[in-house]
Amino acid sequence: MQKTYIRLFLLALQLPEIATACLFHAAGATEVDAYKTINNERRSLPTEAERTAIQDVRVFDGSKFSLPQTVCLDGGYIVNLNGCHTSSEMINGTGKFLIPGLIESHTHLNDVQSLESITSYGVTTVHQMNCRNTTRCDSMKNQPGLASFFRAGMSAVGSGSMHEKQDPTRPKDTLIYPDTNVTQFTEWQFRNGSDFHKITAEANGPSLEQQIEMVQTAHSQYQRQTMTHASSIMAYQQAAGSLTDGIQHIPDDGILDASTIRKIRDQNQFVTPTLNVFEYAYKDPVLQLFFGIEPGSNRSLENAETNSRLLYQGGVTIVAGTDAVGSMSVNGTEATVPFGLTLHYELQNFVNIVGMSPAEAINAATRVAAKWQRIPDRGSIEVGKRADLVMLNSNPLLNISNTLDIEKSWVAGVEVSYITKLST
Ligand SMILES: *[C@@H]1O[C@H](CO)[C@@H](O)[C@H](O)[C@H]1NC(C)=O
Ligand SMILES: *[C@@H]1O[C@H](CO)[C@@H](O)[C@H](O)[C@H]1NC(C)=O
Ligand SMILES: *[C@@H]1O[C@H](CO)[C@@H](O)[C@H](O)[C@H]1NC(C)=O
Ligand SMILES: *[C@@H]1O[C@H](CO)[C@@H](O)[C@H](O)[C@H]1NC(C)=O
Ligand SMILES: *[C@@H]1O[C@H](CO)[C@@H](O)[C@H](O)[C@H]1NC(C)=O
Ligand SMILES: *[C@@H]1O[C@H](CO)[C@@H](O)[C@H](O)[C@H]1NC(C)=O
Ligand SMILES: *[C@@H]1O[C@H](CO)[C@@H](O)[C@H](O)[C@H]1NC(C)=O
């Protein structure tokens, strides 16, 4: 059976989505150029949160689906799992499968319309991994009926690093130099409203000592987490040594040794491998150029896949994120890493490449992500949790691709007005 995906917004409205890639910031299009084309207006009007009864639906509990039951949503929360007031909005859940709303742990959304696109795929929470313009970023917060939005501030990028070269418009006085007061830099990010602090570990990035100082500042002064970009073996060793909370990406230039993997596990760090963006990068010649992947170098997709598998087998917590950026221009050629769809691809990667069961893959984008990103109000279908839900037409435990077979979704009890439908 051939299945295709209809991308309602992008196909119907032909709106460009341009962003800054995380792994290697935009070389061709600068952020300023990109922003000119962005429309920050919502395309959908938010609907009201109504008391809702999802009747006779099978509910995912983290390992299996229940027998049909009635889930009641009120005031943005799940209030009952066994019935609802008769005056509620009734949803027929017969033959449907209810999972928690999906949490995207690594993305680069640039505007409200991208947030609409990602929400149309059952994503109810996103983590934005770099925020140059806090006014723009904060316009994505508190949009009823759209995914809730957590963000970093300006990533700590070293002077002379690849990320500096590929983001030439970034003001030089916001880069990290050997004599930068990184405590103060970290304080600025939190005072400007960051939910967590982002560090970019790489050659000529912040030193290990600077990384440690930033992690300690975030922890001791703000009780907040740090996320460290690390896509090489060297950067992974620094990220482990810095005691950062979430290690982002996966090395593709070699194989992680057992002691680094043990250290990451024993220090209770988690990993968001973003295998998705490596898959995209290695199959698209435009992105290969953009990501600086040279044939014959020590970098390969196989290394990225093997490392993800080794971390999982070594007992490290793995969380689902994609590094999606939407569409971007690389020297005038368009490349796309779409929002939303890619989170489903990452779950497929977790099953097909990493070796997770479908239930574990779903948890990596729901309850496990909520626990490790410290958003305990969501991630599971229980009384008292936020009513962030996705109702599927087919069972994702039989085939993880069925997470794309979305009938309806709710964000804090508000029904999402646009859903990207799988057509068969
Ligand atoms: C609910 O949906 C099922 C399956 O499509 C259908 O058989 C049933 O008649 C529906 N129930 C109501 C009350 O509409
Ligand atoms: C930041 O974004 C806001 C809202 O999109 C925009 O009005 C403003 O010009 C931007 N600031 C800079 C410095 O680009
Ligand atoms: C760095 O900044 C912090 C706070 O902003 C300040 O307390 C500290 O003295 C500064 N360190 C140095 C070496 O200037
Ligand atoms: C916000 O960040 C900028 C640097 O990016 C800094 O100059 C400014 O002082 C920060 N604001 C606060 C309140 O810390
Ligand atoms: C891969 O090659 C690069 C460039 O020569 C080098 O810097 C890096 O250390 C190598 N990676 C490993 C794991 O040896
Ligand atoms: C973009 O074009 C410039 C000039 O032709 C070239 O030096 C550079 O390598 C290109 N960058 C990418 C990522 O294609
Ligand atoms: C899962 O579903 C996808 C999409 O429909 C299909 O291509 C794939 O073959 C299915 N896998 C299995 C194991 O049935």
Side-chain angles (χ1 to χ4, degrees):
M1 183 167 46
Q2 188 66 35
K3 289 181 175 174
T4 53
Y5 305 102
I6 303 169
R7 303 198 54 214
L8 283 175
F9 290 134
L10 298 184
L11 293 181
L13 295 159
Q14 297 287 329
L15 287 162
E17 293 183 36
I18 299 173
T20 306
C22 169
L23 269 183
F24 304 91
H25 283 269
T30 65
E31 276 199 43
V32 175
D33 286 340
Y35 283 172
K36 284 183 188 154
T37 62
I38 289 170
N39 186 341
N40 219 26
E41 302 279 310
R42 276 185 77 144
R43 286 164 287 184
S44 63
L45 288 176
T47 49
E48 295 290 310
E50 289 178 79
R51 184 167 50 212
T52 301
I54 309 173
Q55 295 180 299
D56 302 318
V57 71
R58 297 182 62 190
V59 174
F60 184 60
D61 69 359
S63 58
K64 61 180 187 316
F65 281 96
S66 69
L67 293 173
Q69 61 192 85
T70 292
V71 175
C72 188
L73 323 180
D74 199 8
Y77 292 89
I78 298 166
V79 296
N80 197 331
L81 292 176
N82 288 302
C84 208
H85 199 275
T86 47
S87 71
S88 310
E89 167 84 7
M90 299 290 178
I91 304 290
N92 186 351
T94 303
K96 313 287 188 206
F97 299 84
L98 199 65
I99 62 171
L102 301 176
I103 298 168
E104 158 69 281
S105 286
H106 189 124
T107 188
H108 294 273
L109 283 161
N110 46 76
D111 63 1
V112 172
Q113 297 194 343
S114 312
L115 197 62
E116 291 184 309
S117 298
I118 203 165
T119 309
S120 81
Y121 283 94
V123 177
T124 55
T125 300
V126 303
H127 292 87
Q128 165 85 355
M129 282 292 140
N130 189 43
C131 235
R132 164 98 71 83
N133 180 333
T134 55
T135 311
R136 167 171 290 281
C137 276
D138 288 340
S139 70
M140 286 180 265
K141 290 199 168 189
N142 305 318
Q143 295 277 350
L146 299 185
S148 71
F149 183 85
F150 295 95
R151 67 168 181 86
M154 208 178 274
S155 182
V157 165
S159 165
S161 68
M162 175 139 59
H163 276 75
E164 184 209 353
K165 291 195 189 79
Q166 300 203 314
D167 188 8
T169 63
R170 176 167 169 152
K172 300 298 171 212
D173 64 357
T174 68
L175 294 167
I176 306 296
Y177 298 85
D179 64 351
T180 297
N181 185 337
V182 293
T183 294
Q184 185 179 59
F185 180 82
T186 308
E187 289 171 354
W188 283 346
Q189 305 318 312
F190 286 113
R191 288 206 228 118
N192 278 330
S194 300
D195 297 297
F196 48 87
H197 184 47
K198 176 85 180 304
I199 298 167
T200 305
E202 62 184 328
N204 299 316
S207 67
L208 175 59
E209 291 68 31
Q210 289 177 318
Q211 293 181 44
I212 291 170
E213 189 179 328
M214 289 188 277
V215 171
Q216 287 179 348
T217 302
H219 289 176
S220 66
Q221 282 182 235
Y222 297 95
Q223 290 75 50
R224 298 283 191 160
Q225 301 205 111
T226 54
M227 303 295 151
T228 300
H229 165 110
S231 64
S232 67
I233 297 288
M234 178 279 288
Y236 244 67
Q237 285 163 348
Q238 287 189 340
S242 74
L243 289 176
T244 192
D245 300 282
I247 308 180
Q248 307 295 312
H249 312 300
I250 192 81
D252 67 353
D253 67 335
I255 300 299
L256 285 165
D257 61 75
S259 73
T260 303
I261 293 173
R262 249 194 325 273
K263 194 169 166 184
I264 292 170
R265 184 197 61 198
D266 292 348
Q267 296 178 160
N268 285 318
Q269 296 174 293
F270 69 91
V271 166
T272 309
T274 68
L275 261 178
N276 167 74
V277 79
F278 291 86
E279 305 260 334
Y280 269 82
Y282 278 90
K283 79 185 171 209
D284 179 346
V286 176
L287 283 173
Q288 246 179 58
L289 196 66
F290 179 64
F291 287 119
I293 298 162
E294 283 162 20
S297 78
N298 56 11
R299 298 175 60 188
S300 71
L301 179 58
E302 197 187 358
N303 284 341
E305 293 179 343
T306 303
N307 285 325
S308 302
R309 206 157 36 233
L310 289 173
L311 285 162
Y312 169 68
Q313 288 165 357
V316 173
T317 297
I318 307 282
V319 159
T322 65
D323 205 12
V325 296
S327 295
M328 60 188 177
S329 166
V330 181
N331 272 357
T333 310
E334 173 117 336
T336 302
V337 185
F339 296 117
L341 179 61
T342 49
L343 186 58
H344 297 268
Y345 287 168
E346 189 70 354
L347 301 188
Q348 293 169 27
N349 290 335
F350 283 177
V351 172
N352 299 328
I353 294 166
V354 174
M356 289 187 189
S357 69
E360 286 177 302
I362 294 168
N363 291 341
T366 56
R367 63 177 59 216
V368 171
K371 175 181 171 196
W372 290 76
Q373 300 280 18
R374 301 203 192 152
I375 36 177
D377 62 340
R378 66 197 73 188
S380 58
I381 305 178
E382 290 173 90
V383 171
K385 296 284 178 178
R386 261 171 70 105
D388 287 353
L389 297 161
V390 180
M391 190 168 85
L392 302 172
N393 293 309
S394 49
N395 187 341
L397 302 185
L398 299 182
N399 185 333
I400 191 65
S401 305
N402 290 341
T403 58
L404 273 163
D405 194 3
I406 302 173
E407 176 65 18
K408 284 183 185 296
S409 170
W410 292 264
V411 177
V414 177
E415 190 178 339
V416 175
S417 31
Y418 286 96
I419 294 295
T420 297
K421 295 281 184 185
L422 176 89
S423 66
T424 52

